[in-house]
Amino acid sequence: QVQLVESGGGSVQAGGSLRLSCVVSEYTVKTYCMGWFRQAPGKEREGVATFNRLFGSTYYSDSVKGRFTISQDNAKNTLYLQMNSLKPEDSAMYYCAVGRYCSAAGDSMDYWGKGTLVTISS
């Protein structure tokens, strides 16, 4: 069973930065997609940034493109999300997930972390 633990969330003013981390217990041969998703109260879960290991491709939602960067450190089994120029609308619970393939809202993901809260104030 793959386990994921997120960290790095917190409260920051608009325009600030945060770096989220996700420690993955193990990578399997079927872990083709790794990514970050978020969900704010009363809103649908949305994909923020994903990485397709099979093709080496990345995806960013239009709302975060140019501000967020997804990366990984295989030696530490850790996935990162660097978040810059944060806006109040970025406030949400952020989840790390891995799965067989990437999809918009993470419906295809097999394992999820418990989330880390990000709050951006004006």
Side-chain angles (χ1 to χ4, degrees):
Q1 183 88 6
V2 177
Q3 297 179 340
L4 301 88
V5 180
E6 305 100 328
S7 63
S11 181
V12 66
Q13 295 184 59
S17 299
L18 284 173
R19 189 191 193 194
L20 306 184
S21 298
C22 172
V23 179
V24 184
S25 64
E26 63 177 306
Y27 292 151
T28 73
V29 294
K30 294 183 178 180
T31 305
Y32 300 133
C33 184
M34 308 172 65
W36 292 93
F37 303 82
R38 68 186 182 188
Q39 186 167 26
K43 300 183 70 176
E44 298 281 337
R45 183 178 67 199
E46 63 174 326
V48 176
T50 56
F51 175 70
N52 188 307
R53 296 181 65 217
L54 186 61
F55 301 111
S57 59
T58 56
Y59 158 85
Y60 294 97
S61 68
D62 290 338
S63 63
V64 308
K65 194 173 298 181
R67 300 188 296 120
F68 293 9
T69 302
I70 188 171
S71 63
Q72 64 173 327
D73 185 336
N74 285 324
K76 297 180 179 180
N77 277 21
T78 303
L79 184 69
Y80 301 99
L81 183 67
Q82 180 65 48
M83 308 163 66
N84 298 325
S85 301
L86 286 162
K87 305 175 181 179
E89 50 263 45
D90 292 320
S91 297
M93 184 71 76
Y94 283 71
Y95 300 91
C96 175
V98 299
R100 293 161 291 174
Y101 60 92
C102 295
S103 60
D107 296 334
S108 60
M109 295 304 210
D110 298 311
Y111 303 98
W112 293 82
K114 294 182 178 180
T116 185
L117 185 63
V118 171
T119 303
I120 312 302
S121 60
S122 300

